[in-house]
Amino acid sequence: MDREWGSKPGSGGAATAQNEAIDRRERLRRLAMETIDLAKDPYFMRNHLGSYECKLCLTLHNNEGNYLAHTQGKRHQTNLAKRAAREAKDAPAQPQPNKRKVGPRKSVKIGRPGYTVTKQYDPDTKQHSFLFEIEYQEIEDNSKPRHRFMASYEQKIQSWDKNFQYLLFAADPYETIGFKIPSTEIDKSTDKFFSYWDPDKKSYIMQLYFKPRPPEANRQPAAPGTVPNGTEGPPGAPPRPPPHPQAPPPPPPHAPMGMPHRIPPPPMNGFQPPPPPPPIANGPPRSIPPPPSGGAMANFTPGAPPPRPPMQGFPGPQQ
């Protein structure tokens, strides 16, 4: 029976320090082989004898497992820390970019400034303009007011409307004020758009002109589905019936019997026919006297068709 001297059957002997070191290196070797890739290790080298060397610690190893166990040891880890400290000391110090952090300035507001707004119109160029005068009597020293144009969708106080924009004025310690103006393009020429700060009166003046709109923009297009006379409605609606023709006025009581009155045509495109001519100064027209008795017109009846002449045809066949 093969067993060491002094040990009992079925029991393990006490491990010595050498056996514990061997077992520890074997566990570290297995762990390193599973997690470390030797192809990416800059200190791993294979010499011409077939053995492996550590270029950092200048040690010689028989196999890859032995080298991996060495990399997990105290000697190799200490040399790695020394190399990193020496490289950090020798590396030139690179200047760090100076990043200036600008935070919001906190100041106590004293209220809104006084202002005057004047509306102007130039009849020569047909341009509308505004003249703003803002009074900053308590403005801070060595500071000037500022202005900014803001679109309607940037603010969250009123509902968004693309037809308007906002002009803001700001100066510490006053609150920021804004004016709602049309979103028409502003004329940025020198004589039309300018701002001026008067440090003596502490008044900020700004004038702006809007570019004139083209004539087509001022004309409102007609609603779809309508015509000038207004007989049609929106698409899909049934057409309105045409207006009834006006009945002719009744004839005067003593008017002679003759041809019927002519019915005036219905109005076209919403226009009424011209009024009838005024009556004659001498009174109403006189009636025509009847023809004398006898003659060809003795049997004439007003309003009746004239008598037909006797028909003269070919004689029929003799019986």
Side-chain angles (χ1 to χ4, degrees):
M1 177 178 256
D2 293 338
R3 55 190 177 90
E4 297 182 358
W5 177 261
S7 62
K8 296 180 180 180
S11 63
T16 62
Q18 183 179 3
N19 293 337
E20 291 181 357
I22 294 174
D23 184 64
R24 183 179 64 255
R25 285 195 296 267
E26 181 66 19
R27 287 189 286 105
L28 293 176
R29 184 185 67 83
R30 294 177 181 177
L31 179 63
M33 291 185 65
E34 295 177 358
T35 58
I36 298 177
D37 187 6
L38 292 177
K40 298 180 181 180
D41 192 348
Y43 306 111
F44 177 75
M45 184 183 68
R46 184 174 183 179
N47 57 16
H48 63 286
L49 299 176
S51 58
Y52 304 95
E53 296 183 9
C54 176
K55 294 189 293 183
L56 178 62
C57 305
L58 302 178
T59 54
L60 200 63
H61 306 278
N62 296 329
N63 49 40
E64 296 179 356
N66 190 284
Y67 172 79
L68 292 175
H70 162 73
T71 57
Q72 304 299 321
K74 182 179 180 180
R75 181 179 180 181
H76 189 84
Q77 296 295 331
T78 304
N79 292 336
L80 284 177
K82 292 181 179 180
R83 173 65 66 88
R86 184 169 62 253
E87 291 180 353
K89 183 178 180 181
D90 297 341
Q94 297 181 357
Q96 297 293 333
N98 186 13
K99 297 182 179 180
R100 183 180 178 183
K101 297 182 180 180
V102 179
R105 182 180 179 181
K106 297 181 180 180
S107 60
V108 179
K109 302 298 182 179
I110 62 175
R112 299 178 182 177
Y115 58 88
T116 304
V117 182
T118 306
K119 298 181 180 180
Q120 301 174 351
Y121 177 74
D122 190 352
D124 298 335
T125 59
K126 298 182 180 180
Q127 289 180 287
H128 295 269
S129 64
F130 286 103
L131 178 64
F132 299 93
E133 299 181 15
I134 317 297
E135 303 293 337
Y136 292 106
Q137 301 297 328
E138 302 295 335
I139 191 173
E140 295 181 355
D141 297 337
N142 302 326
S143 62
K144 295 182 180 180
R146 303 176 304 276
H147 71 274
R148 173 179 177 261
F149 291 95
M150 184 176 65
S152 177
Y153 63 87
E154 296 183 54
Q155 53 87 28
K156 299 180 180 179
I157 299 178
Q158 297 182 355
S159 59
W160 178 75
D161 190 354
K162 65 178 181 179
N163 297 323
F164 295 96
Q165 59 182 338
Y166 295 86
L167 176 59
L168 307 182
F169 295 93
D172 290 330
Y174 290 93
E175 297 180 0
T176 303
I177 59 175
F179 299 91
K180 188 175 182 180
I181 61 177
S183 60
T184 311
E185 185 178 0
I186 298 176
D187 191 353
K188 293 298 184 68
S189 56
T190 307
D191 56 339
K192 301 291 185 181
F193 181 81
F194 69 89
S195 60
Y196 173 71
W197 165 244
D198 189 352
D200 299 332
K201 297 182 179 180
K202 295 185 179 181
S203 176
Y204 186 71
I205 302 174
M206 180 177 180
Q207 176 178 291
L208 58 90
Y209 276 78
F210 298 101
K211 290 187 177 181
R213 297 182 179 179
E216 291 77 6
N218 296 333
R219 184 180 306 171
Q220 297 181 357
T226 59
V227 293
N229 57 3
T231 57
E232 296 184 8
R240 298 180 181 178
H244 296 282
Q246 299 180 359
H254 300 288
M257 298 296 294
M259 298 184 64
H261 295 275
R262 184 179 180 182
I263 300 175
M268 299 180 63
N269 297 333
F271 296 98
Q272 297 292 339
I280 304 175
N282 297 331
R286 298 179 180 179
S287 59
I288 302 174
S293 60
M297 301 295 291
N299 298 326
F300 175 75
T301 303
R308 297 183 180 180
M311 299 182 59
Q312 296 179 3
F314 294 97
Q318 302 269 341
Q319 295 292 339

Short mmCIF file of all heavy atoms in Angstrom, two decimals, residues 23 26 100 111 135 137 160 169 196:
data_model
loop_
_atom_site.label_atom_id
_atom_site.label_comp_id
_atom_site.label_asym_id
_atom_site.label_seq_id
_atom_site.Cartn_x
_atom_site.Cartn_y
_atom_site.Cartn_z
N ASP A 23 -0.09 24.82 -5.46
CA ASP A 23 -1.53 24.81 -5.73
C ASP A 23 -2.06 26.20 -6.08
O ASP A 23 -2.91 26.35 -6.98
CB ASP A 23 -2.25 24.26 -4.50
CG ASP A 23 -3.75 24.11 -4.75
OD1 ASP A 23 -4.12 23.30 -5.62
OD2 ASP A 23 -4.54 24.83 -4.08
N GLU A 26 -1.07 27.10 -9.66
CA GLU A 26 -1.86 26.36 -10.63
C GLU A 26 -3.25 26.96 -10.81
O GLU A 26 -3.75 27.06 -11.94
CB GLU A 26 -1.96 24.88 -10.16
CG GLU A 26 -2.73 23.98 -11.11
CD GLU A 26 -2.03 23.81 -12.46
OE1 GLU A 26 -0.82 24.06 -12.56
OE2 GLU A 26 -2.75 23.45 -13.43
N ARG A 100 -14.31 78.48 -19.96
CA ARG A 100 -14.94 79.51 -19.14
C ARG A 100 -16.42 79.17 -18.95
O ARG A 100 -17.16 79.01 -19.92
CB ARG A 100 -14.81 80.86 -19.81
CG ARG A 100 -15.38 82.01 -19.00
CD ARG A 100 -15.22 83.31 -19.75
NE ARG A 100 -15.81 84.42 -18.99
CZ ARG A 100 -15.86 85.67 -19.44
NH1 ARG A 100 -15.36 85.96 -20.63
NH2 ARG A 100 -16.40 86.61 -18.70
N GLY A 111 -38.28 96.02 -11.00
CA GLY A 111 -39.54 96.30 -11.68
C GLY A 111 -39.33 96.56 -13.17
O GLY A 111 -38.24 96.37 -13.71
N GLU A 135 -37.09 103.98 -20.82
CA GLU A 135 -36.41 104.78 -19.79
C GLU A 135 -35.80 103.84 -18.75
O GLU A 135 -36.50 103.08 -18.09
CB GLU A 135 -37.40 105.73 -19.11
CG GLU A 135 -38.11 106.68 -20.07
CD GLU A 135 -37.16 107.69 -20.68
OE1 GLU A 135 -36.09 107.95 -20.08
OE2 GLU A 135 -37.48 108.23 -21.77
N GLN A 137 -33.70 104.64 -15.74
CA GLN A 137 -33.10 105.63 -14.85
C GLN A 137 -32.19 105.00 -13.81
O GLN A 137 -31.26 105.64 -13.33
CB GLN A 137 -34.21 106.44 -14.17
CG GLN A 137 -35.13 107.18 -15.12
CD GLN A 137 -34.38 108.23 -15.94
OE1 GLN A 137 -33.41 108.82 -15.47
NE2 GLN A 137 -34.83 108.47 -17.16
N TRP A 160 -49.21 80.13 -29.54
CA TRP A 160 -48.36 80.35 -30.70
C TRP A 160 -49.19 80.89 -31.87
O TRP A 160 -50.27 80.38 -32.18
CB TRP A 160 -47.67 79.06 -31.08
CG TRP A 160 -46.81 79.19 -32.30
CD1 TRP A 160 -45.59 79.78 -32.38
CD2 TRP A 160 -47.11 78.71 -33.61
NE1 TRP A 160 -45.12 79.72 -33.66
CE2 TRP A 160 -46.03 79.06 -34.44
CE3 TRP A 160 -48.19 78.03 -34.17
CZ2 TRP A 160 -45.99 78.74 -35.79
CZ3 TRP A 160 -48.14 77.73 -35.52
CH2 TRP A 160 -47.06 78.08 -36.31
N PHE A 169 -36.55 93.80 -24.67
CA PHE A 169 -35.56 94.76 -24.18
C PHE A 169 -35.16 94.32 -22.77
O PHE A 169 -36.03 94.01 -21.94
CB PHE A 169 -36.13 96.18 -24.15
CG PHE A 169 -36.45 96.74 -25.51
CD1 PHE A 169 -37.73 96.61 -26.04
CD2 PHE A 169 -35.48 97.38 -26.26
CE1 PHE A 169 -38.04 97.12 -27.29
CE2 PHE A 169 -35.78 97.89 -27.50
CZ PHE A 169 -37.05 97.76 -28.03
N TYR A 196 -30.22 103.66 -30.34
CA TYR A 196 -29.32 104.64 -29.73
C TYR A 196 -29.53 104.66 -28.23
O TYR A 196 -30.68 104.66 -27.76
CB TYR A 196 -29.57 106.03 -30.33
CG TYR A 196 -28.80 107.14 -29.65
CD1 TYR A 196 -27.43 107.26 -29.81
CD2 TYR A 196 -29.46 108.05 -28.82
CE1 TYR A 196 -26.71 108.27 -29.17
CE2 TYR A 196 -28.75 109.06 -28.19
CZ TYR A 196 -27.37 109.16 -28.36
OH TYR A 196 -26.67 110.16 -27.73
#
